[in-house]
Amino acid sequence: MKYIGIVKEPDFEKRICFLPKEISAAINQLNLKVFIEKGIGENLGISDSKFEKAGAIVQNRSEILERSDFILSINEPQNFNIGEAEKTIIGYFNMLFYPQRTEKYLNKNISVFSLDLLPRTTLAQSMDVLSSMASLAGYKAVLKATNYYNSSFPMFTTAAGTLSPAKVLVLGAGVAGLQAIATAKRLGAIVEAFDVRKSSEEEVKSLGAKFIEVEGYKEGKNAGGYAVEQSKEYLAKQKELIHQHISKANIVISTANIPGKKAPVLIDSKALEAMQPGSVIIDLAAEQGGNCIATQNGKIINHNSVTIIGDSFLSREIPQAASQLLSSNYFNFLKHLVNSNKKEDPILSGCQVIYNGKITHPQLLTKFEIA
């Protein structure tokens, strides 16, 4: 019999990665036992008794970390005393951007899967934490913008006059960007969207937004559905086109990111100075440097009467919905991991960072070789 261990997240984290429904499924379908730390669901108003009713066993933190075969976590487990026993840690660690996070696991009997590295394939969709959280972040980004924007989103016609609708520019039409477009349109805004990928045009237009395209984008053969770095010539054309549109925008939602790399700067000083007073930028790429030159990760700043919000974790502000999606993602991955009998499994190899204390992910190996 193998054990799953789930401990409380750091204080800044309101989401949890496994709910009672998935605990029951892990016990009944996968023949696993589940340990939880006391009070794990208190941020969501879920009592320990609900977890126990689902079959979980409440234990203290040290006991869970010591006895569990699988440790599930959103952030890296805190105060984790790594012993000799074999363990598999499953989480959402962004180790390509923070390679130093691997160091504590090296030369230990530890394997680590980071679900943000899952390949973007049809089979992996039900496990895709990035897409789940990005969808919520795109939605929340628009709602957050409404709190800081000093006018209305839809057009208002009254006896006192007419208020024009907000103009929203979305930079990056991936999962977060598309959800931002849909939400802004529902609120009555005029929406434009930019993305380097020509393939995004149809999706953007289907949501009622105008698509802005820069000619000359090069796809990466092994990018797995993610954006890749572009030439200097392309980036120069891109910035000029964005500058033309950003000067007319009231709200900018920026979502452009490249796995393991610094986020591309799409809003440079020239573009920022051209923005109208009272405008708002929500930068969802803040953790990796941000798409705006002035973004400060985790902070809200005012730059010449433009509000810039740098936050890559807006899903934390809707923890109930986020936890529901994460719990489903984690269970589906765990089910695949337990039941996989393939010698070469592209899903597992795609997101495995460490195996028995050795780095296995090729991009991470490259980073250590460069260092």
Side-chain angles (χ1 to χ4, degrees), residues 341-358:
N341 54 13
K342 296 178 182 177
K343 190 173 181 179
E344 295 293 331
D345 188 313
I347 290 178
L348 300 184
S349 62
C351 66
Q352 185 164 52
V353 180
I354 295 171
Y355 175 71
N356 282 351
K358 294 181 180 180

Side-chain angles (χ1 to χ4, degrees), residues 356-368:
N356 282 351
K358 294 181 180 180
I359 294 173
T360 56
H361 197 280
Q363 285 180 263
L364 201 53
L365 280 170
T366 302
K367 282 180 176 287
F368 273 87

Side-chain angles (χ1 to χ4, degrees), residues 92 96 114-121 124 128-131 174-175 195-197 199 217-230 257-260 350-351 361 363:
Y92 180 11
L96 283 189
S114 193
L115 300 187
D116 50 289
L117 294 173
L118 279 163
R120 294 200 134 163
T121 62
D128 190 352
V129 296
L130 274 186
S131 291
V175 176
D195 196 280
V196 295
R197 296 162 295 187
S199 57
Y217 174 71
K218 293 181 181 178
E219 296 277 0
K221 292 182 180 178
N222 301 311
Y226 297 96
V228 296
E229 289 185 296
Q230 298 296 305
N257 236 337
I258 300 169
C351 66
H361 197 280
Q363 285 180 263

Side-chain angles (χ1 to χ4, degrees), residues 90-166:
I90 300 168
Y92 180 11
F93 305 137
N94 196 10
M95 286 178 170
L96 283 189
F97 193 70
Y98 298 108
Q100 67 274 16
R101 290 179 177 174
T102 62
E103 292 174 1
K104 71 175 76 171
Y105 306 114
L106 300 181
N107 303 313
K108 307 288 184 181
N109 205 5
I110 298 284
S111 296
V112 179
F113 291 93
S114 193
L115 300 187
D116 50 289
L117 294 173
L118 279 163
R120 294 200 134 163
T121 62
T122 302
L123 190 58
Q125 279 183 340
S126 65
M127 318 166 199
D128 190 352
V129 296
L130 274 186
S131 291
S132 295
M133 295 305 98
S135 185
L136 293 178
Y139 158 76
K140 186 63 178 179
V142 176
L143 298 188
K144 201 169 188 75
T146 65
N147 292 331
Y148 289 88
Y149 179 47
N150 58 17
S151 190
S152 64
F153 258 61
M155 181 177 73
F156 273 101
T157 301
T158 73
T162 299
L163 297 174
S164 299

Side-chain angles (χ1 to χ4, degrees), residues 202-214:
E202 187 176 338
E203 292 175 303
V204 166
K205 288 182 175 179
S206 73
L207 294 172
K210 178 182 177 182
F211 184 70
I212 304 167
E213 181 188 1
V214 182

Side-chain angles (χ1 to χ4, degrees), residues 47-94:
S47 65
D48 289 341
S49 63
K50 288 186 178 179
F51 285 97
E52 290 178 302
K53 188 175 180 181
I57 303 165
V58 178
Q59 285 280 11
N60 64 60
R61 185 184 192 86
S62 59
E63 187 84 0
I64 293 171
L65 294 173
E66 182 181 337
R67 294 181 59 188
S68 299
D69 301 285
F70 301 101
I71 296 172
L72 308 188
S73 180
I74 299 173
N75 305 276
E76 285 190 282
Q78 303 295 301
N79 304 316
F80 182 20
N81 183 23
I82 299 173
E84 297 299 319
E86 182 179 345
K87 296 189 186 304
T88 297
I89 300 174
I90 300 168
Y92 180 11
F93 305 137
N94 196 10

